[in-house]
Amino acid sequence: MIDIIHQYWQAYLFWDGSAPSGLIITLWLLVASLAIGFVLALPLSIARASGNRFVSRSVWLFTYVFRGTPLYVQLLLIYTGFYTLDFVRSHASLESFFRSGMNCALFAFALNTCAYTTEIFAGAIRTVERGEIEAARAYGMSVFTRYRRIILPAALRRALPAYSNEVILMLHATTLAFTATVPDLLKVARDINAQTYQPLPAFGLAALIYLSVSFLLIWLFRKAEHRWLAFLRPRQNES
Amino acid sequence: MLLKGYGPLILTGALQTIALALLSLVVSILLGVIGAFAKRSGQPLLRYPATLYTTLIRGVPDLVLMLLLFYSFQIGLNHLTDTLEINAIDLNPFITGVLTLGFIYGAYFTETFRGALLSVSRGQLEAGFAYGMSGLQIFRRILFAQIMRFALPGIANNWQVLVKATALVSIIGLYDLVKAAQEAGRATLEPFGFMALAALIYLLLTTLSNFALSWLERRYTFDKPQPQRARL
């Protein structure tokens, strides 16, 4: 185990001799797909929580399909399937985009996390106090201002615990990227296993790194909850 | 011919997936019940391994655990057969998939059942003991229906995740729906169509599970809200 660490620690963390690899790629996949998913989920969740049945149902169709099918199937669809479509073949920019494994992986992960995040945020928007929204209306706030100052801050705070769960699950999901030839942490572990025939150290080290990142993320979210959900803590000094 | 003769292959794959999911469910529920009682027990010798179990599995990705267990078992088995000087046994990916998925989701079910156990009020258990009921009778008459009621949303959720996780077992070689769709797509040069078909079948499985689970939830809900009756 020690010699594996000694020989391969760079590959696990950031560099495998010719390109970035390992933890840094995993973290990049995680952050990039979460960011894209988050940004897309904001308008989608507002639409999903809207009273208009047509709008809500359209977004529901998107989230139902992406939450009801495995991420692996979605990734394979995009990585092996899209490239063969005539529509993609005929546009040079699309063709070069879907040729890269990293792009396909990011595309699939971003859509998937967007679907889950949309549902989380839509649920949170529905729990915002009616009274606050009515007061915002009474003050004459426009729709945009209402959402910006009252509804979204309240909803996003309440969504924090569920979103932290989603972030951890997304970390687990990035392990699928190796099937699209992205050199992430799990791919490095598999390669080392193939070279050394020692699965326990090879995968065990990867497991330890994932565990550490999970604990770090949980700690970060606990800090965030401490700050942003402070108003939900039980009152301490009743004077 | 729409499926270009690959219909039976896809169907076999789908049945493998369903069988894998159901068997893994059984194993993980068993492990979940054991784990839940272990976590609640007074003995630290039971509690600490159970806590380690759930923390480890929720912190490490499924695929990493699956590959770790698959390759380790295979190599361990090879060492064993070498020292015993018998022929090498190849691990069946189906059994490995069932055991691995069962092991992983056993941790999630442990948390679900632990929450459900906590929700049953202590007084009922004490009343059962006071009446002189044996442990099994208490479980059958008092605990079971209430655990079902509290645990059903968790079970439903874990089942949905488990069905989707069965797609990962194709990576360790099981000939399930995903692998069948990949092979068919590769052979007919229509990977998009077959993968989309696989996605639709998964969607169908999810929808059917939703119906079955909401029927179960309605059956085990004992506190139906009474409609407001007008005062006469």
Side-chain angles (χ1 to χ4, degrees):
Chain A
M1 160 94 83
I2 301 292
D3 28 87
I4 288 191
I5 300 180
H6 197 71
Q7 199 176 353
Y8 292 108
W9 69 273
Q10 280 177 324
Y12 268 116
L13 294 182
F14 51 85
W15 189 261
D16 70 353
S18 56
S21 76
L23 181 60
I24 212 172
I25 297 278
T26 293
L27 288 177
W28 165 243
L29 281 168
L30 180 67
V31 169
S33 45
L34 279 175
I36 301 175
F38 184 91
V39 166
L40 286 175
L42 278 177
L44 281 176
S45 58
I46 295 176
R48 176 83 173 91
S50 106
N52 184 332
R53 287 268 290 267
F54 178 68
V55 166
S56 173
R57 275 275 154 174
S58 317
V59 181
W60 172 83
L61 191 63
F62 164 67
T63 61
Y64 192 64
V65 167
F66 274 88
R67 292 185 314 149
T69 54
L71 178 55
Y72 186 39
V73 172
Q74 294 164 17
L75 182 58
L76 284 176
L77 200 59
I78 291 172
Y79 184 58
T80 62
F82 270 27
Y83 193 68
T84 62
L85 288 179
D86 291 328
F87 178 68
V88 171
R89 277 258 176 82
S90 51
H91 294 80
S93 57
L94 281 180
E95 193 186 354
S96 57
F97 179 81
F98 283 114
R99 194 183 303 170
S100 143
M102 171 69 95
N103 286 347
C104 290
L106 279 176
F107 190 64
F109 292 163
L111 280 178
N112 190 285
T113 180
C114 175
Y116 280 99
T117 311
T118 300
E119 283 299 321
I120 294 175
F121 287 171
I125 289 178
R126 282 188 217 114
T127 67
V128 172
E129 296 263 351
R130 273 270 160 87
E132 296 187 10
I133 307 180
E134 285 176 2
R137 272 199 162 129
Y139 265 104
M141 290 190 190
S142 70
V143 174
F144 186 69
T145 316
R146 263 208 307 274
Y147 272 98
R148 182 174 68 89
R149 296 177 78 181
I150 309 289
I151 301 180
L152 282 183
L156 289 178
R157 273 167 216 239
R158 270 170 228 274
L160 204 48
Y163 192 63
S164 73
N165 215 29
E166 169 64 18
V167 169
I168 302 284
L169 287 176
M170 207 57 219
L171 175 66
H172 290 8
T174 59
T175 54
L176 276 172
F178 81 92
T179 60
T181 72
V182 176
D184 75 324
L185 182 51
L186 186 55
K187 179 157 198 297
V188 171
R190 281 196 85 179
D191 293 341
I192 293 176
N193 175 46
Q195 283 176 8
T196 65
Y197 285 99
Q198 298 187 53
L200 206 55
F203 290 115
L205 277 174
L208 279 173
I209 298 180
Y210 277 114
L211 204 57
S212 318
V213 177
S214 296
F215 282 154
L216 183 68
L217 284 171
I218 293 178
W219 178 79
L220 277 171
F221 272 104
R222 201 175 292 166
K223 284 246 154 241
E225 274 178 42
H226 190 82
R227 183 192 147 139
W228 277 314
L229 288 180
F231 67 98
L232 285 179
R233 261 181 268 148
R235 306 258 303 263
Q236 262 152 4
N237 302 325
E238 304 271 35
S239 52
Chain B
M1 228 203 300
L2 205 68
L3 288 172
K4 301 206 175 153
Y6 280 94
L9 188 70
I10 302 274
L11 189 62
T12 319
L15 290 173
Q16 280 273 316
T17 297
I18 297 176
L20 178 65
L22 286 172
L23 281 174
S24 310
L25 182 70
V26 170
V27 174
S28 40
I29 287 188
L30 238 92
L31 279 176
V33 171
I34 297 175
F37 279 106
K39 261 190 145 179
R40 278 220 335 155
S41 91
Q43 309 235 22
L45 213 64
L46 281 175
R47 222 173 39 233
Y48 286 151
T51 314
L52 186 68
Y53 171 54
T54 53
T55 315
L56 217 70
I57 296 212
R58 283 159 70 191
V60 178
D62 302 351
L63 199 47
V64 177
L65 277 173
M66 218 179 284
L67 289 174
L68 175 64
L69 293 172
F70 182 62
Y71 286 117
S72 304
F73 277 153
Q74 185 65 70
I75 289 197
L77 203 60
N78 287 347
H79 281 306
L80 197 67
T81 52
D82 279 343
T83 43
L84 292 180
E85 288 184 359
I86 49 182
N87 285 332
I89 313 174
D90 264 332
L91 273 186
N92 182 345
F94 186 78
I95 302 287
T96 318
V98 169
L99 290 175
T100 320
L101 282 177
F103 184 68
I104 294 174
Y105 285 89
Y108 291 103
F109 275 106
T110 299
E111 289 302 312
T112 304
F113 289 141
R114 193 176 69 100
L117 270 179
L118 282 172
S119 308
V120 178
S121 61
R122 205 110 206 257
Q124 303 201 11
L125 293 177
E126 289 175 5
F129 276 119
Y131 264 104
M133 292 191 199
S134 72
L136 196 62
Q137 281 177 318
I138 290 185
F139 182 76
R140 191 169 53 89
R141 291 182 188 178
I142 302 179
L143 281 181
F144 180 69
Q146 300 205 50
I147 292 179
M148 277 299 274
R149 174 183 161 215
F150 288 119
L152 260 176
I155 295 179
N157 195 34
N158 288 339
W159 166 251
Q160 304 282 18
V161 182
L162 178 58
V163 167
K164 286 179 278 176
T166 56
L168 297 175
V169 188
S170 68
I171 298 181
I172 59 172
L174 180 66
Y175 221 95
D176 73 332
L177 178 55
V178 177
K179 206 165 183 73
Q182 273 182 298
E183 294 282 327
R186 230 173 278 158
T188 61
L189 298 176
E190 291 230 14
F192 186 80
F194 280 100
M195 207 41 85
L197 176 64
L200 275 172
I201 296 181
Y202 271 107
L203 213 53
L204 187 68
L205 284 175
T206 310
T207 313
L208 289 174
S209 309
N210 275 345
F211 278 133
L213 287 164
S214 48
W215 175 82
L216 265 178
E217 265 181 64
R218 265 180 285 125
R219 176 144 166 32
Y220 276 97
T221 307
F222 306 116
D223 50 355
K224 292 195 195 51
Q226 295 296 329
Q228 295 281 343
R229 296 205 191 275
R231 267 176 206 274
L232 290 170

